[in-house]
Coordinates of all heavy atoms in Angstrom, one line a residue:
D1 N 196.9 180.2 -35.0 CA 196.4 179.3 -36.0 C 196.0 177.9 -35.3 O 195.7 177.0 -36.0 CB 197.4 179.1 -37.1 CG 198.7 178.4 -36.6 OD1 198.8 178.0 -35.5 OD2 199.6 178.2 -37.5
G2 N 196.1 177.8 -34.0 CA 195.7 176.6 -33.3 C 196.8 175.5 -33.3 O 196.6 174.4 -32.8
T3 N 198.0 175.8 -33.9 CA 199.0 174.8 -33.9 C 199.6 174.5 -32.5 O 199.8 175.5 -31.8 CB 200.2 175.3 -34.8 OG1 199.7 175.5 -36.1 CG2 201.3 174.2 -34.9
T4 N 199.9 173.3 -32.2 CA 200.5 173.0 -30.9 C 201.8 172.2 -31.2 O 201.9 171.5 -32.2 CB 199.6 172.1 -30.0 OG1 199.3 170.9 -30.7 CG2 198.3 172.9 -29.7
I5 N 202.7 172.3 -30.3 CA 204.0 171.6 -30.3 C 204.2 171.0 -28.9 O 204.3 171.8 -28.0 CB 205.2 172.5 -30.8 CG1 204.9 173.0 -32.2 CG2 206.5 171.8 -30.7 CD1 206.0 174.0 -32.6
E6 N 204.4 169.7 -28.9 CA 204.7 169.1 -27.6 C 206.2 169.1 -27.4 O 206.9 168.8 -28.3 CB 204.1 167.7 -27.5 CG 202.6 167.7 -27.5 CD 202.1 166.3 -27.3 OE1 202.8 165.4 -26.8 OE2 200.9 166.1 -27.7
L7 N 206.6 169.4 -26.2 CA 208.0 169.4 -25.8 C 208.2 168.4 -24.7 O 207.3 168.1 -23.9 CB 208.4 170.8 -25.3 CG 208.2 172.0 -26.2 CD1 208.5 173.3 -25.5 CD2 209.0 171.8 -27.5
D8 N 209.4 167.8 -24.7 CA 209.8 166.8 -23.8 C 210.4 167.3 -22.5 O 211.2 168.3 -22.6 CB 210.7 165.8 -24.4 CG 210.1 165.1 -25.6 OD1 208.9 164.7 -25.6 OD2 210.8 164.9 -26.6
L9 N 210.1 166.8 -21.4 CA 210.8 167.1 -20.1 C 212.0 166.3 -20.1 O 212.1 165.3 -19.4 CB 209.9 166.9 -18.9 CG 208.6 167.7 -19.0 CD1 207.7 167.4 -17.8 CD2 208.9 169.2 -18.9
V10 N 213.1 166.7 -20.8 CA 214.2 165.9 -21.1 C 215.0 165.5 -19.8 O 215.7 164.5 -19.8 CB 215.2 166.5 -22.1 CG1 214.5 166.6 -23.5 CG2 215.6 167.9 -21.7
S11 N 214.9 166.3 -18.8 CA 215.6 166.0 -17.5 C 214.7 165.6 -16.4 O 215.0 165.6 -15.2 CB 216.5 167.2 -17.1 OG 217.5 167.5 -18.0
G12 N 213.5 165.2 -16.8 CA 212.5 164.8 -15.8 C 211.6 166.0 -15.4 O 212.1 167.2 -15.6
P13 N 210.5 165.8 -14.9 CA 209.6 167.0 -14.6 C 210.2 168.0 -13.6 O 210.0 169.2 -13.8 CB 208.4 166.3 -13.9 CG 208.4 164.9 -14.4 CD 209.9 164.5 -14.6
A14 N 210.9 167.6 -12.6 CA 211.4 168.5 -11.6 C 212.7 169.2 -12.1 O 213.0 170.3 -11.5 CB 211.7 167.8 -10.3
E15 N 213.4 168.7 -13.0 CA 214.7 169.2 -13.4 C 214.9 169.9 -14.8 O 215.8 170.5 -15.1 CB 215.8 168.1 -13.2 CG 216.0 167.6 -11.8 CD 216.3 168.7 -10.8 OE1 217.2 169.6 -11.2 OE2 215.7 168.8 -9.7
T16 N 213.9 169.7 -15.6 CA 214.0 170.3 -17.0 C 213.9 171.8 -16.9 O 213.1 172.4 -16.1 CB 212.8 169.8 -17.9 OG1 212.9 168.4 -18.0 CG2 212.8 170.4 -19.2
T17 N 214.8 172.5 -17.6 CA 214.9 173.9 -17.5 C 214.2 174.6 -18.7 O 214.0 174.0 -19.7 CB 216.4 174.4 -17.5 OG1 217.0 174.0 -18.7 CG2 217.1 173.8 -16.3
V18 N 214.0 175.9 -18.5 CA 213.4 176.7 -19.6 C 214.4 176.7 -20.8 O 214.0 176.6 -21.9 CB 213.2 178.1 -19.1 CG1 212.9 179.1 -20.3 CG2 212.0 178.1 -18.2
R19 N 215.7 176.7 -20.5 CA 216.7 176.6 -21.6 C 216.5 175.4 -22.5 O 216.5 175.4 -23.7 CB 218.1 176.7 -21.0 CG 219.2 176.6 -22.1 CD 220.6 176.7 -21.5 NE 220.8 178.1 -21.1 CZ 221.0 178.5 -19.9 NH1 220.9 177.7 -18.9 NH2 221.2 179.8 -19.6
Q20 N 216.3 174.2 -21.8 CA 216.1 173.0 -22.5 C 214.8 173.0 -23.4 O 214.8 172.6 -24.5 CB 216.0 171.8 -21.6 CG 217.4 171.5 -20.9 CD 217.3 170.5 -19.8 OE1 216.4 170.7 -18.9 NE2 218.1 169.5 -19.8
L21 N 213.7 173.6 -22.8 CA 212.5 173.7 -23.6 C 212.6 174.7 -24.7 O 212.1 174.4 -25.8 CB 211.3 174.1 -22.7 CG 210.9 173.2 -21.5 CD1 209.9 173.8 -20.6 CD2 210.5 171.8 -22.1
H22 N 213.3 175.8 -24.5 CA 213.5 176.8 -25.5 C 214.3 176.2 -26.7 O 214.0 176.4 -27.9 CB 214.3 178.0 -24.9 CG 214.3 179.2 -25.8 ND1 215.4 179.4 -26.6 CD2 213.5 180.2 -26.0 CE1 215.2 180.5 -27.3 NE2 214.0 181.0 -26.9
E23 N 215.4 175.4 -26.4 CA 216.2 174.8 -27.4 C 215.4 173.8 -28.3 O 215.5 173.8 -29.5 CB 217.4 174.1 -26.8 CG 218.4 175.0 -26.3 CD 219.5 174.3 -25.4 OE1 219.4 173.1 -25.1 OE2 220.4 175.0 -25.0
Q24 N 214.5 173.0 -27.6 CA 213.6 172.1 -28.4 C 212.7 172.9 -29.3 O 212.5 172.5 -30.4 CB 212.7 171.3 -27.4 CG 213.4 170.2 -26.7 CD 212.5 169.5 -25.8 OE1 211.6 168.8 -26.3 NE2 212.6 169.6 -24.5
M25 N 212.1 174.0 -28.8 CA 211.2 174.8 -29.6 C 211.9 175.4 -30.8 O 211.3 175.3 -31.9 CB 210.6 175.9 -28.7 CG 209.6 176.8 -29.5 SD 208.1 175.9 -29.9 CE 207.3 175.7 -28.4
M26 N 213.1 175.9 -30.6 CA 213.8 176.4 -31.7 C 214.1 175.3 -32.8 O 213.9 175.6 -34.0 CB 215.1 177.0 -31.3 CG 215.0 178.2 -30.4 SD 214.3 179.6 -31.2 CE 215.6 180.0 -32.4
R27 N 214.4 174.1 -32.4 CA 214.7 173.1 -33.3 C 213.4 172.6 -34.0 O 213.4 172.5 -35.3 CB 215.3 171.8 -32.6 CG 216.8 171.9 -32.3 CD 217.4 170.6 -31.9 NE 216.7 170.0 -30.8 CZ 216.9 170.2 -29.5 NH1 217.8 171.0 -29.1 NH2 216.2 169.5 -28.6
R28 N 212.3 172.5 -33.3 CA 211.1 172.0 -33.9 C 210.5 173.0 -34.9 O 209.8 172.6 -35.8 CB 210.1 171.6 -32.8 CG 210.6 170.5 -31.9 CD 209.6 169.4 -31.6 NE 210.3 168.4 -30.8 CZ 209.8 167.9 -29.7 NH1 208.6 168.3 -29.3 NH2 210.4 167.0 -29.1
L29 N 210.7 174.3 -34.6 CA 210.2 175.3 -35.5 C 211.2 175.6 -36.6 O 210.9 176.5 -37.5 CB 209.9 176.6 -34.7 CG 208.7 176.5 -33.8 CD1 208.6 177.8 -32.9 CD2 207.4 176.2 -34.5
R30 N 212.4 175.0 -36.5 CA 213.5 175.2 -37.5 C 213.8 176.7 -37.6 O 214.0 177.2 -38.7 CB 213.1 174.6 -38.9 CG 212.9 173.1 -38.8 CD 212.6 172.6 -40.2 NE 212.5 171.1 -40.2 CZ 211.4 170.4 -40.3 NH1 210.2 171.1 -40.5 NH2 211.4 169.1 -40.3
L31 N 214.0 177.3 -36.5 CA 214.4 178.7 -36.5 C 215.9 178.8 -36.3 O 216.5 178.1 -35.5 CB 213.7 179.4 -35.3 CG 212.1 179.4 -35.4 CD1 211.5 180.0 -34.2 CD2 211.7 180.3 -36.7
P32 N 216.5 179.8 -36.9 CA 218.0 180.0 -36.7 C 218.3 180.6 -35.3 O 217.5 181.3 -34.7 CB 218.3 181.1 -37.8 CG 217.0 181.8 -38.1 CD 215.9 180.8 -37.8
D33 N 219.5 180.3 -34.9 CA 219.9 180.7 -33.5 C 219.8 182.3 -33.4 O 219.6 182.7 -32.2 CB 221.3 180.3 -33.3 CG 221.4 178.8 -33.1 OD1 220.4 178.1 -32.8 OD2 222.5 178.2 -33.2
N34 N 220.0 183.0 -34.4 CA 220.1 184.5 -34.3 C 218.7 185.1 -34.0 O 218.6 186.3 -33.7 CB 220.7 185.1 -35.6 CG 219.8 184.9 -36.8 OD1 219.1 184.0 -36.9 ND2 220.0 185.8 -37.8
V35 N 217.7 184.3 -33.9 CA 216.3 184.8 -33.5 C 215.9 184.3 -32.1 O 214.8 184.6 -31.7 CB 215.2 184.6 -34.6 CG1 215.6 185.3 -35.9 CG2 215.0 183.1 -34.8
A36 N 216.8 183.5 -31.5 CA 216.4 182.9 -30.2 C 216.0 183.9 -29.2 O 215.2 183.7 -28.3 CB 217.5 182.0 -29.7
H37 N 216.6 185.1 -29.2 CA 216.4 186.1 -28.2 C 215.0 186.7 -28.3 O 214.5 187.4 -27.4 CB 217.4 187.2 -28.3 CG 217.3 188.0 -29.6 ND1 217.8 187.6 -30.8 CD2 216.7 189.2 -29.8 CE1 217.5 188.5 -31.7 NE2 216.8 189.5 -31.2
V38 N 214.3 186.4 -29.4 CA 212.9 187.0 -29.6 C 211.9 186.2 -28.8 O 210.8 186.8 -28.5 CB 212.6 187.0 -31.1 CG1 211.2 187.4 -31.3 CG2 213.6 187.8 -31.9
F39 N 212.1 185.0 -28.4 CA 211.2 184.1 -27.8 C 211.4 183.9 -26.3 O 212.6 183.9 -25.9 CB 211.1 182.7 -28.5 CG 210.8 182.8 -29.9 CD1 211.7 182.8 -30.9 CD2 209.4 183.0 -30.3 CE1 211.4 182.9 -32.2 CE2 209.1 183.1 -31.6 CZ 210.0 183.0 -32.6
G40 N 210.4 183.8 -25.5 CA 210.5 183.5 -24.1 C 209.4 182.5 -23.7 O 208.5 182.3 -24.5
I41 N 209.6 182.0 -22.5 CA 208.6 181.1 -22.0 C 208.0 181.7 -20.8 O 208.7 182.2 -19.9 CB 209.2 179.7 -21.7 CG1 209.6 179.0 -23.0 CG2 208.2 178.8 -20.9 CD1 210.2 177.7 -22.9
W42 N 206.6 181.8 -20.8 CA 205.9 182.5 -19.7 C 205.0 181.5 -19.0 O 204.5 180.6 -19.6 CB 205.0 183.6 -20.3 CG 205.8 184.7 -20.9 CD1 206.5 184.7 -22.1 CD2 205.9 186.0 -20.4 NE1 207.1 185.9 -22.3 CE2 206.7 186.8 -21.3 CE3 205.4 186.7 -19.3 CZ2 207.0 188.1 -21.2 CZ3 205.7 188.0 -19.1 CH2 206.5 188.7 -20.1
I43 N 204.7 181.8 -17.7 CA 203.6 181.1 -17.0 C 202.6 182.2 -16.8 O 202.9 183.2 -16.2 CB 204.0 180.4 -15.7 CG1 205.0 179.3 -16.1 CG2 202.8 179.9 -15.0 CD1 205.6 178.6 -14.8
C44 N 201.3 181.9 -17.2 CA 200.3 183.0 -17.1 C 199.0 182.5 -16.4 O 198.6 181.4 -16.6 CB 199.9 183.5 -18.5 SG 201.4 184.1 -19.4
S45 N 198.4 183.4 -15.7 CA 197.0 183.2 -15.2 C 196.3 184.4 -15.6 O 196.8 185.3 -16.3 CB 197.0 183.0 -13.7 OG 197.3 184.2 -13.0
K46 N 195.0 184.5 -15.2 CA 194.2 185.7 -15.6 C 194.8 187.0 -15.0 O 194.7 188.1 -15.6 CB 192.8 185.5 -15.2 CG 192.1 184.5 -16.0 CD 190.6 184.4 -15.6 CE 190.0 183.3 -16.4 NZ 188.6 183.0 -16.0
S47 N 195.5 186.9 -13.9 CA 195.9 188.1 -13.2 C 197.5 188.2 -13.1 O 197.9 189.3 -12.8 CB 195.4 188.1 -11.8 OG 195.8 187.0 -11.1
V48 N 198.2 187.2 -13.4 CA 199.7 187.3 -13.2 C 200.4 186.6 -14.4 O 199.9 185.6 -14.9 CB 200.2 186.5 -11.9 CG1 201.7 186.6 -11.8 CG2 199.5 187.1 -10.7
R49 N 201.4 187.3 -14.9 CA 202.2 186.7 -16.0 C 203.7 186.8 -15.6 O 204.2 187.9 -15.2 CB 202.0 187.5 -17.3 CG 200.7 187.4 -17.8 CD 200.4 188.4 -19.0 NE 199.0 188.4 -19.3 CZ 198.6 188.0 -20.5 NH1 199.4 187.6 -21.4 NH2 197.3 188.0 -20.7
I50 N 204.4 185.7 -15.6 CA 205.8 185.6 -15.2 C 206.6 185.1 -16.3 O 206.4 183.9 -16.8 CB 206.0 184.7 -13.9 CG1 205.2 185.3 -12.7 CG2 207.5 184.6 -13.6 CD1 205.2 184.5 -11.5
Q51 N 207.6 185.8 -16.8 CA 208.5 185.3 -17.8 C 209.6 184.6 -17.1 O 210.2 185.1 -16.2 CB 209.1 186.5 -18.7 CG 210.0 185.9 -19.8 CD 210.5 187.0 -20.7 OE1 210.4 188.2 -20.4 NE2 211.0 186.6 -21.8
L52 N 209.9 183.4 -17.5 CA 210.9 182.5 -16.9 C 212.2 182.8 -17.5 O 212.4 183.0 -18.7 CB 210.5 181.1 -17.0 CG 209.1 180.7 -16.4 CD1 208.8 179.2 -16.6 CD2 209.1 181.1 -14.9
N53 N 213.2 182.7 -16.6 CA 214.6 182.8 -17.0 C 215.1 181.4 -17.5 O 214.5 180.4 -17.2 CB 215.5 183.2 -15.9 CG 215.2 184.7 -15.4 OD1 214.9 185.5 -16.3 ND2 215.3 184.9 -14.1
P54 N 216.2 181.4 -18.3 CA 216.7 180.1 -18.9 C 216.9 179.0 -17.9 O 216.7 177.9 -18.1 CB 218.0 180.5 -19.6 CG 217.7 182.0 -20.0 CD 217.0 182.5 -18.8
D55 N 217.4 179.4 -16.7 CA 217.7 178.4 -15.7 C 216.5 178.0 -14.8 O 216.6 177.1 -13.9 CB 218.9 178.8 -14.8 CG 220.2 178.9 -15.6 OD1 220.3 178.1 -16.5 OD2 221.0 179.8 -15.3
H56 N 215.4 178.7 -14.9 CA 214.2 178.3 -14.2 C 213.7 176.9 -14.6 O 213.9 176.5 -15.7 CB 213.1 179.3 -14.4 CG 213.3 180.6 -13.6 ND1 212.8 181.8 -14.1 CD2 213.9 180.8 -12.5 CE1 213.1 182.7 -13.2 NE2 213.8 182.2 -12.2
K57 N 213.0 176.3 -13.6 CA 212.4 174.9 -13.9 C 210.9 175.1 -13.9 O 210.3 175.3 -12.8 CB 212.9 174.0 -12.8 CG 214.4 173.8 -12.9 CD 215.0 173.0 -11.8 CE 216.5 172.9 -12.0 NZ 217.1 172.2 -10.8
P58 N 210.3 175.2 -15.1 CA 208.9 175.5 -15.1 C 207.9 174.7 -14.4 O 206.9 175.2 -13.8 CB 208.6 175.5 -16.6 CG 209.7 174.8 -17.3 CD 210.9 174.9 -16.4
V59 N 208.2 173.4 -14.3 CA 207.3 172.5 -13.5 C 207.3 172.9 -12.0 O 206.2 172.9 -11.4 CB 207.6 171.0 -13.7 CG1 206.8 170.1 -12.8 CG2 207.4 170.6 -15.1
Q60 N 208.5 173.3 -11.5 CA 208.5 173.7 -10.1 C 207.7 175.1 -9.9 O 207.1 175.2 -8.9 CB 210.0 173.9 -9.7 CG 210.7 172.6 -9.5 CD 212.1 172.8 -9.1 OE1 212.6 173.9 -8.8 NE2 212.8 171.7 -9.0
F61 N 207.8 175.9 -10.9 CA 207.0 177.2 -10.9 C 205.5 176.8 -10.8 O 204.7 177.4 -10.1 CB 207.3 178.1 -12.0 CG 208.3 179.1 -11.7 CD1 209.7 178.8 -11.8 CD2 208.0 180.4 -11.4 CE1 210.7 179.7 -11.5 CE2 209.0 181.4 -11.1 CZ 210.3 181.0 -11.1
L62 N 205.1 175.9 -11.7 CA 203.7 175.5 -11.7 C 203.2 174.9 -10.4 O 202.1 175.2 -9.9 CB 203.4 174.5 -12.8 CG 203.5 175.1 -14.2 CD1 203.5 174.0 -15.3 CD2 202.4 176.2 -14.5
L63 N 204.1 174.1 -9.8 CA 203.7 173.5 -8.5 C 203.6 174.5 -7.4 O 202.9 174.3 -6.4 CB 204.8 172.4 -8.1 CG 204.8 171.2 -9.0 CD1 205.9 170.2 -8.7 CD2 203.5 170.4 -8.9
N64 N 204.4 175.6 -7.5 CA 204.4 176.6 -6.4 C 203.6 177.9 -6.9 O 203.8 178.9 -6.3 CB 205.8 177.0 -6.1 CG 206.6 175.9 -5.4 OD1 206.2 175.4 -4.4 ND2 207.7 175.5 -6.0
W65 N 202.7 177.7 -7.9 CA 202.1 178.9 -8.5 C 201.3 179.7 -7.4 O 201.3 180.9 -7.4 CB 201.2 178.4 -9.6 CG 200.5 179.6 -10.2 CD1 199.2 180.0 -10.1 CD2 201.1 180.6 -11.1 NE1 199.0 181.2 -10.8 CE2 200.1 181.5 -11.4 CE3 202.4 180.7 -11.6 CZ2 200.4 182.6 -12.2 CZ3 202.7 181.8 -12.4 CH2 201.7 182.8 -12.7
K66 N 200.5 179.0 -6.6 CA 199.7 179.8 -5.6 C 200.5 180.7 -4.8 O 200.1 181.8 -4.5 CB 198.8 178.8 -4.8 CG 197.7 178.2 -5.6 CD 196.8 177.4 -4.8 CE 195.7 176.9 -5.7 NZ 194.6 176.3 -5.0
R67 N 201.7 180.2 -4.4 CA 202.6 181.1 -3.5 C 203.0 182.3 -4.3 O 203.0 183.4 -3.8 CB 203.8 180.3 -3.0 CG 204.7 181.1 -2.1 CD 205.8 180.3 -1.5 NE 206.6 179.5 -2.5 CZ 207.7 180.0 -2.9 NH1 208.2 181.2 -2.6 NH2 208.4 179.3 -3.8
Y68 N 203.5 182.1 -5.6 CA 204.0 183.2 -6.4 C 202.9 184.2 -6.7 O 203.0 185.4 -6.6 CB 204.6 182.7 -7.7 CG 205.8 181.8 -7.6 CD1 205.9 180.6 -8.2 CD2 206.9 182.3 -6.9 CE1 207.0 179.8 -8.1 CE2 208.0 181.5 -6.8 CZ 208.1 180.3 -7.4 OH 209.2 179.5 -7.3
A69 N 201.7 183.6 -7.0 CA 200.6 184.5 -7.4 C 200.1 185.3 -6.1 O 199.8 186.5 -6.3 CB 199.4 183.7 -7.9
S70 N 200.1 184.7 -5.0 CA 199.7 185.4 -3.8 C 200.7 186.5 -3.4 O 200.3 187.5 -2.8 CB 199.4 184.4 -2.6 OG 200.7 183.9 -2.2
E71 N 201.9 186.3 -3.7 CA 202.9 187.4 -3.5 C 202.7 188.6 -4.4 O 203.1 189.7 -4.1 CB 204.3 186.8 -3.6 CG 204.7 185.8 -2.6 CD 206.1 185.2 -2.9 OE1 206.8 185.5 -3.9 OE2 206.5 184.3 -2.1
L72 N 202.1 188.3 -5.6 CA 202.0 189.4 -6.6 C 200.6 189.9 -6.7 O 200.4 191.0 -7.3 CB 202.5 188.8 -7.9 CG 203.9 188.4 -8.0 CD1 204.2 187.6 -9.3 CD2 204.9 189.6 -7.8
T73 N 199.6 189.2 -6.2 CA 198.2 189.6 -6.4 C 197.3 188.9 -5.4 O 197.8 188.0 -4.7 CB 197.7 189.3 -7.8 OG1 196.4 189.8 -7.9 CG2 197.7 187.9 -8.1
T74 N 196.1 189.3 -5.3 CA 195.1 188.6 -4.5 C 194.4 187.5 -5.2 O 193.7 186.7 -4.6 CB 194.1 189.6 -3.9 OG1 193.4 190.2 -5.0 CG2 194.8 190.6 -3.0
N75 N 194.5 187.4 -6.5 CA 193.8 186.3 -7.3 C 194.9 185.3 -7.8 O 195.7 185.6 -8.5 CB 193.2 187.0 -8.5 CG 192.4 186.0 -9.4 OD1 192.4 184.8 -9.1 ND2 191.8 186.5 -10.5
T76 N 194.7 184.0 -7.3 CA 195.7 183.0 -7.6 C 195.4 182.3 -8.9 O 196.3 181.8 -9.6 CB 195.8 182.0 -6.5 OG1 194.6 181.4 -6.3 CG2 196.4 182.6 -5.2
G77 N 194.2 182.3 -9.4 CA 193.9 181.7 -10.8 C 194.7 180.5 -11.1 O 195.7 180.2 -10.6
E78 N 194.2 179.7 -12.1 CA 195.0 178.5 -12.5 C 196.0 179.0 -13.6 O 195.6 179.6 -14.6 CB 194.0 177.5 -13.1 CG 193.2 176.8 -12.0 CD 194.0 176.1 -11.0 OE1 195.0 175.4 -11.4 OE2 193.8 176.2 -9.8
P79 N 197.2 178.6 -13.5 CA 198.2 179.0 -14.5 C 198.2 178.1 -15.7 O 197.8 177.0 -15.7 CB 199.5 178.8 -13.7 CG 199.2 177.6 -12.8 CD 197.8 177.8 -12.4
T80 N 198.8 178.7 -16.8 CA 199.0 177.9 -18.0 C 200.4 178.2 -18.4 O 200.9 179.3 -18.2 CB 198.0 178.3 -19.1 OG1 198.2 179.7 -19.4 CG2 196.6 177.9 -18.8
L81 N 201.1 177.3 -19.0 CA 202.4 177.5 -19.5 C 202.3 178.0 -21.0 O 201.7 177.3 -21.8 CB 203.2 176.2 -19.5 CG 204.7 176.2 -19.9 CD1 205.5 177.1 -18.9 CD2 205.2 174.8 -19.8
R82 N 203.0 179.1 -21.3 CA 202.9 179.6 -22.7 C 204.3 179.8 -23.2 O 205.2 180.1 -22.5 CB 202.2 181.0 -22.7 CG 200.8 180.8 -22.3 CD 200.1 182.1 -22.5 NE 198.7 182.0 -22.0 CZ 197.8 183.0 -22.0 NH1 198.2 184.2 -22.4 NH2 196.6 182.7 -21.6

């Protein structure tokens, strides 16, 4: 539907975890805790999709994207956070 929700890097760009972003998303969408397991945070390019674990730091993944992508494919593409 084109809706966007901005999330804060509450521990700074290098230290904010997926868990922190996920908690913010749940609050902003007013979703109950019992559905939290349904949602994940992914980093995607045209050729690679990586689902991040709660303790991962997504900004660090984005900064190192070319290395991750080259380990998984020959096309590094520009990543987007989803």
Side-chain angles (χ1 to χ4, degrees):
D1 70 357
T3 302
T4 61
I5 296 174
E6 291 186 23
L7 302 175
D8 299 318
L9 300 174
V10 295
S11 295
E15 297 302 318
T16 298
T17 64
V18 167
R19 179 177 287 110
Q20 291 170 310
L21 295 175
H22 190 268
E23 289 169 355
Q24 286 182 69
M25 182 65 73
M26 294 295 293
R27 281 192 309 272
R28 299 226 177 130
L29 293 174
R30 295 183 176 110
L31 297 172
D33 290 339
N34 65 336
V35 299
H37 68 281
V38 176
F39 299 99
I41 293 181
W42 294 70
I43 295 177
C44 304
S45 71
K46 290 181 182 178
S47 59
V48 177
R49 295 170 189 244
I50 299 175
Q51 183 176 13
L52 302 179
N53 293 325
D55 293 326
H56 283 151
K57 297 172 182 173
V59 172
Q60 289 181 5
F61 266 80
L62 291 170
L63 291 173
N64 292 302
W65 182 255
K66 287 188 181 192
R67 181 172 57 94
Y68 296 127
S70 68
E71 291 173 3
L72 299 170
T73 183
T74 58
N75 181 0
T76 58
E78 288 299 316
T80 59
L81 185 61
R82 295 186 183 176

